[in-house]
Amino acid sequence: MHYVLLIISAALVNNFVLSRFLGICPFIGVSRSTDTAIGMSMAVVFVIALASLVTWLINHYILVSLGLAYLQTIVFILVIASLVQLVEMIIQRVSMPLYQALGIYLPLITTNCAVLGVALLNINLKYDFLESVIFGTGSAVGFGLALTIFAGMREEMDLNEIPKAFQGTPIALITAGILSLAFMGFSGLVK
């Protein structure tokens, strides 16, 4: 039951985009199309789950054991950059249309603070190996859920008339705020 609550907490209650405000750049940038948002979500889930696994192992077995824990941030950034490069090569070989649709946003996963945030939170919250992977995967699923819902909302907004002053980024930010309020409704699920 602990792991189920951890997933619910990571995905819905403490959503990285809507509660912790991590990963806003791809959230706003890739949310114009649900197809692109779903592709980005899958890439983020893969990268964050893999980054959670690898960074926990590196931190626990190398950095802490050698007394180099102060290098966590730098090492985690290098690991994440390598993982994103791997994902980029895989997507390019498997799905060229998805690779082209993601464009510049795929390399942006490297600088997506949600990925680094998950790795650092796993260490700061003192999660064990399994909890780290579950928390990372739950956080990534929550990110993907928020991104996909937001993309659907933006696609619907494109079909409606919006006052000129609110077109573009202003209405996107207002909608993101309302979506954040909706996700706050999940806060009673987990203590």
Side-chain angles (χ1 to χ4, degrees):
M1 188 63 172
H2 168 70
Y3 297 120
V4 173
L5 292 176
L6 187 61
I7 290 172
I8 292 170
S9 173
L12 300 176
V13 178
N14 297 312
N15 187 284
F16 265 64
V17 177
L18 302 173
S19 295
R20 297 183 191 259
F21 305 109
L22 296 171
I24 298 292
C25 180
F27 180 70
I28 298 294
V30 184
S31 60
R32 294 201 177 270
S33 157
T34 51
D35 293 336
T36 307
I38 290 169
M40 179 64 143
S41 298
M42 290 188 297
V44 167
V45 167
F46 181 73
V47 168
I48 288 181
L50 195 57
S52 296
L53 184 140
V54 172
T55 56
W56 189 91
L57 290 172
I58 287 173
N59 184 66
H60 187 28
Y61 290 112
I62 297 173
L63 298 178
V64 171
S65 64
L66 295 175
L68 301 172
Y70 61 90
L71 293 175
Q72 284 174 345
T73 305
I74 293 170
V75 171
F76 289 177
I77 289 171
L78 291 173
V79 167
I80 291 165
S82 301
L83 291 174
V84 169
Q85 195 68 18
L86 175 69
V87 169
E88 187 174 5
M89 289 186 316
I90 290 170
I91 290 176
Q92 187 177 13
R93 287 196 178 127
V94 172
S95 176
M96 186 54 85
L98 178 60
Y99 177 77
Q100 291 172 342
L102 291 174
I104 189 68
Y105 296 107
L106 190 58
L108 279 178
I109 296 175
T110 304
T111 59
N112 185 346
C113 53
V115 182
L116 181 60
V118 168
L120 293 174
L121 278 171
N122 283 335
I123 303 306
N124 291 339
L125 295 172
K126 298 182 182 3
Y127 286 148
D128 63 27
F129 179 74
L130 186 57
E131 288 174 329
S132 294
V133 174
I134 289 172
F135 177 74
T137 304
S139 297
V141 168
F143 177 87
L145 179 66
L147 181 64
T148 305
I149 291 171
F150 188 59
M153 293 170 75
R154 288 186 77 178
E155 283 182 347
E156 288 296 318
M157 283 188 297
D158 287 343
L159 301 175
N160 296 311
E161 288 186 38
I162 297 172
K164 188 164 177 68
F166 290 108
Q167 291 177 356
T169 304
I171 194 67
L173 293 175
I174 291 168
T175 306
I178 293 169
L179 185 59
S180 179
L181 288 172
F183 268 67
M184 285 178 69
F186 295 115
S187 63
L189 289 176
V190 179
K191 291 183 182 184

